Amino acid sequence: MKDHSRIATIVAAAFDRAKETGIQTIGGASLPGQDNPGIAIRDAARLRMTALAQAGAFDVKVARTLPLAEAAEAHRLLVKGDLGGRIVLIP
């Protein structure tokens, strides 16, 4: 593609090369003085998702709840798969 301004990457290891070629970087955290359009994208999405959640727009099936102290077990269950829903960690 000749117009690199229409390409974006979220791969942090490619950020320096992307900037050299005019490709946008939209992932990760910005350092002071860096412009990162990904921050604005995530902020807007977070506001929209919060509004949708408050309106009850999501139907989330919870397969298991575990205490936060059992986060390692939750990870094992996720890796294993076939949960039929989400895992919620309770602080």
Side-chain angles (χ1 to χ4, degrees):
M1 175 178 282
K2 291 182 180 183
D3 182 6
H4 286 170
S5 68
R6 297 182 62 201
I7 303 171
T9 183
I10 61 169
V11 179
F15 281 7
D16 289 337
R17 178 77 173 120
K19 289 178 184 178
E20 292 170 6
T21 58
I23 294 173
Q24 292 185 67
T25 57
I26 60 170
S30 286
L31 296 174
Q34 288 183 330
D35 181 32
N36 185 343
I39 292 171
I41 291 167
R42 286 189 300 277
D43 287 347
R46 189 176 300 112
L47 289 173
R48 178 73 177 131
M49 296 295 280
T50 300
L52 288 169
Q54 288 174 336
F58 301 117
D59 182 21
V60 180
K61 183 173 180 184
V62 176
R64 297 275 304 265
T65 58
L66 295 169
L68 185 56
E70 294 182 30
E73 175 62 16
H75 185 262
R76 281 190 285 279
L77 290 168
L78 287 170
V79 170
K80 184 179 174 184
D82 298 327
L83 289 168
R86 303 292 181 191
I87 295 177
V88 176
L89 296 176
I90 307 296

